[in-house]
Amino acid sequence: MILTPTMTGIATPSPLQYAFSAKRAPHARRPGTPLLLDGASREASWQQVSQASERALYLHIPFCRKRCSFCNFFENGANPARMEVYVTALCEEIKRRADTPFAQSRPFNAVYLGGGTPTDMTADQIGRVLEALRRFPLVPDAEVTLEGRLNGFDDEKWQAALDGGVNRFSFGVQSFDSRVRLAAGRLDEREAVLARLQTLSDRNRAVVVADLIFGLPWQSHASWAQDLDDLMASRVHGVDLYQLIGLPGNNLERFNASGRQPEGLPSAERALMYRFGAERLEGAGWERLSCCHWRRDGREQSRYNRLAKSGAEILPFGAGAGGSYQGMGVMNGRDLNAWHQALSAGVPVPAMMMGQGPNDARLGRVRGALDQGLLPWAILPEPWRASLATLFARWQEHGLARVGEEGVSLTLAGRFWTVNLQAGLLEFLDAERQAALGEAG
């Protein structure tokens, strides 16, 4: 087996900055096999019983009032009439699917309302969606998250969400710096964002989480340090620190090419920002739950994110929603007209279905463990441990991991490059499998 730099990173005096040239993708995934299932086969899957030990629901609200410059998946403007039609149809679809044997066979551990910008819904719409969700069996302490932005999220919406069972809010702050926010297409300046976060966090009615991005245009190490100070001053219960990734199709490319704004800091500088953020939070007593997520206290569980990253069963609802169930990966089509037409005709919504291999469930647990920074030996079957030993040894040589009695623990550099390491592990296993097939042939 020949180890490649994409599997192992490279030897460098500063693995945090230079083990890889850049983060390869938001997530590491193995491509599945496309499935061509007719409507009858898809409907039949809802009459079966789930075998999952943990499961979640994902609802997609594909509307935004404004497109952020770093976003490459903007779908629809938040037209009130169009949103009302969508929410009404979504609620009907949820109710219809909730009454099936598959949905009722096992309880759900988490629910996530994502987008898009779910907080752009009205208070009435938020309440109706959450009421429809009550038809699903949830575990008593199910985590129910509403994602969105603070702008426009007034007390009426807050109360409607709480009344409907939301116990966790995730707000995309990205930066508190007003100049950085303006360039990123965010609404509201620093003072308004910080004040609203403090108000909602202090109410102690639900967990409040904020997302921050490092590497944005106009951002500096000094402004990032201030972002971390503001974050802790806001008294939120949890935070995600995300690296800006140059995905195609966003406005940053166009703005940079036109000279309207500078490019964000290079990957090597972003690595230092990650280190500063991790050390700043942990020095203040925050606990790291994953390579990019920290919590101030035990109320924050980040349960849905853990399930999603470890390949758990997730039922997707809405145009553009993704998930996995019954041994299939599912991505609903984004076209709103096609989605509405399918629901009106009483047929399954357009979706890309991908078959999963026999080891995909285990690989999901492996990816989930690496996302948390520790891969216990117990997750790996004995044959995998033997074959992966050379890969793990190289990670250790390159300063990305430590191989110990409990398993493989990622260093701070490894945590920064965790997606690359996950992709490298998948690449290694695929190359090994192809080599074995070649020998057999």
Side-chain angles (χ1 to χ4, degrees), residues 174 212-216 219 224 241-245 269-271 273-274 416:
Q174 321 314 0
L212 295 180
I213 293 179
F214 53 94
L216 289 165
Q219 205 170 37
W224 177 241
L241 304 185
Y242 292 126
Q243 178 186 178
L244 177 69
I245 305 176
E269 294 300 309
R270 296 176 197 173
M273 297 171 86
Y274 174 80
F416 177 71

Side-chain angles (χ1 to χ4, degrees), residues 190-308:
R190 172 180 176 274
E191 290 74 15
V193 174
L194 185 54
R196 186 60 175 160
L197 264 186
Q198 289 173 333
T199 296
L200 298 183
S201 299
D202 286 345
R203 287 176 180 174
N204 253 353
R205 300 285 305 282
V207 169
V208 177
V209 177
D211 294 344
L212 295 180
I213 293 179
F214 53 94
L216 289 165
W218 301 112
Q219 205 170 37
S220 65
H221 289 282
S223 68
W224 177 241
Q226 184 62 54
D227 276 343
L228 270 296
D229 287 345
D230 287 345
L231 182 281
M232 286 185 282
S234 74
R235 298 183 286 278
V236 296
H237 306 97
V239 63
D240 286 292
L241 304 185
Y242 292 126
Q243 178 186 178
L244 177 69
I245 305 176
L247 298 173
N250 62 41
N251 284 335
L252 284 181
E253 292 181 321
R254 183 163 55 86
F255 293 163
N256 293 340
S258 67
R260 287 177 54 182
Q261 63 185 34
E263 294 187 15
L265 293 173
S267 180
E269 294 300 309
R270 296 176 197 173
L272 299 180
M273 297 171 86
Y274 174 80
R275 181 176 67 188
F276 179 85
E279 293 176 348
R280 181 75 178 87
L281 290 167
E282 291 166 29
W286 288 53
E287 179 186 3
R288 179 176 57 81
L289 293 184
S290 75
C291 293
C292 66
H293 189 80
W294 288 260
R295 67 180 181 183
R296 179 165 58 88
D297 59 47
R299 285 172 291 182
E300 162 60 344
Q301 299 291 315
S302 192
R303 188 180 299 172
Y304 176 85
N305 290 328
R306 175 181 60 80
L307 293 174

